[in-house]
Amino acid sequence: MRNKYDDDVFFNKYSQMERSLKGLTGAGEWAALKDMLPDFQGKRVLDLGCGFGWHCVYAAEHGAAKVVGVDISRKMLDEAARKSGGLNIDYIKKPLEEVDYPADSFDVVLSSLALHYVASFGAIVEMVHHCLSDGGQFIFSMEHPIFTASGPQDWHYDGAGDKLHWPVDRYFEEGPREAVFLGEKVLKYHRTLTTIIRDLRKAGFEIDDLVEPQPNERMLKLPEMTDELRRPMMLLIAARKQA
Ligand SMILES: C[S@@+](CC[C@H](N)C(=O)[O-])C[C@H]1O[C@@H](n2cnc3c(N)ncnc32)[C@H](O)[C@@H]1O
């Protein structure tokens, strides 16, 4: 399986992002996501596409009884292990498509900005539902369908190079997109908001919350954030397995 995060050039660029250098406080959506998280005390937590493991560390430091982070990238997981110090976190190298835990293995499943890399959202949602306890929570962020629809993930510019608007095209055509992220070609998947919500409900989740996060005042002072109020980039969802 193609894995961009183990590509040296891409990995080095990703490692220089604000969110990679500073962790959760460097992530524009963190304030909104943090508000959606439960009390981790005594909980069994799974993080799908854990990357550098920031969310695993957060759960472990906030009392989680067990934390497992899964990611496809050796480079990301090696860095996660380095950043996790003496915390009791299991990092597992595996594609999300192959994750398979018995029923009632976890109380909380997290996933931060990884699900737009998987072809079948519905299959992942069913897997998560299966491995959660009754009433367990699935809290995740993914790129917003408005952000993924067109493909290249860039603004339209005028002749002077100024941003005109964000293109939304091919919205109802779900499937792979060749996006450009950090100047590199990356394979992502677009799906509609209807599919996201319906797949969750079909699997047996109820939706507790849905947020299209906006950068806070501090983040808006960063030059790369000035246009982030013109269109949503991410979608945050908190869902609960119906008891
Ligand atoms: C944008 S990073 C997010 C990392 C981390 N969750 C965070 O928010 O800091 C996306 C992560 O998803 C992982 N990933 C992408 N496709 C995957 C797949 N099919 N299976 C497992 N992990 C995958 C990448 O290796 C990368 O670490």
Side-chain angles (χ1 to χ4, degrees):
M1 185 177 296
R2 216 172 118 202
N3 167 23
K4 197 72 183 174
Y5 285 79
D6 275 336
D7 173 283
D8 281 336
V9 173
F10 182 81
F11 178 81
N12 289 336
K13 288 183 179 176
Y14 184 83
S15 301
Q16 292 311 309
M17 288 180 79
E18 175 100 346
R19 62 187 305 125
S20 303
L21 297 170
K22 293 193 177 158
L24 298 178
T25 55
E29 78 287 7
W30 171 238
L33 185 66
K34 189 178 171 195
D35 278 351
M36 298 165 98
L37 297 178
D39 178 3
F40 283 112
Q41 200 62 43
K43 301 269 171 68
R44 300 163 298 167
V45 180
L46 172 66
D47 183 358
L48 298 174
C50 62
F52 287 160
W54 300 113
H55 302 83
C56 294
V57 168
Y58 184 85
E61 286 178 341
H62 285 78
K66 164 180 164 175
V67 182
V68 178
V70 179
D71 202 283
I72 198 172
S73 161
R74 179 80 275 149
K75 280 177 179 290
M76 296 298 280
L77 289 176
D78 285 350
E79 191 56 31
R82 267 193 291 279
K83 290 187 191 309
S84 302
L87 291 167
N88 186 18
I89 302 171
D90 279 340
Y91 287 114
I92 296 171
K93 183 180 172 327
K94 202 181 241 202
L96 298 187
E97 296 82 345
E98 292 175 20
V99 173
D100 181 21
Y101 285 100
D104 191 17
S105 295
F106 297 98
D107 306 299
V108 182
V109 176
L110 304 174
S111 184
S112 165
L113 296 179
L115 295 176
H116 47 266
Y117 290 108
V118 299
S120 175
F121 179 75
I124 301 286
V125 168
E126 278 176 24
M127 174 277 286
V128 171
H129 187 268
H130 176 71
C131 76
L132 272 172
S133 51
D134 283 347
Q137 287 166 281
F138 180 27
I139 300 163
F140 63 92
S141 62
M142 63 194 298
E143 288 183 349
H144 197 290
I146 284 181
F147 191 75
T148 55
S150 283
Q153 301 195 324
D154 198 2
W155 299 87
H156 276 186
Y157 299 88
D158 65 16
D162 291 322
K163 287 171 184 160
L164 287 173
H165 55 262
W166 185 266
V168 176
D169 200 1
R170 300 198 288 156
Y171 182 81
F172 291 107
E173 189 189 312
E174 298 190 322
R177 297 287 191 272
E178 194 173 78
V180 179
F181 177 33
L182 300 171
E184 304 290 317
K185 285 183 182 165
V186 184
L187 180 66
K188 297 186 182 182
Y189 290 88
H190 167 72
R191 48 189 63 90
T192 64
L193 185 60
T194 304
T195 294
I196 294 166
I197 300 297
R198 285 203 175 160
D199 280 353
L200 286 162
R201 297 187 66 195
K202 197 167 100 194
F205 284 104
E206 54 190 283
I207 314 289
D208 282 344
D209 205 357
L210 185 153
V211 178
E212 294 163 303
Q214 302 172 33
N216 60 25
E217 265 179 49
R218 185 184 65 79
M219 302 293 291
L220 281 173
K221 290 192 180 120
L222 300 169
E224 67 269 25
M225 288 283 168
T226 45
D227 291 305
E228 290 303 310
L229 293 178
R230 296 176 63 178
R231 50 96 183 96
M233 185 191 175
M234 296 178 200
L235 184 64
L236 274 49
I237 294 182
R240 184 181 300 273
K241 177 171 175 170
Q242 289 170 316

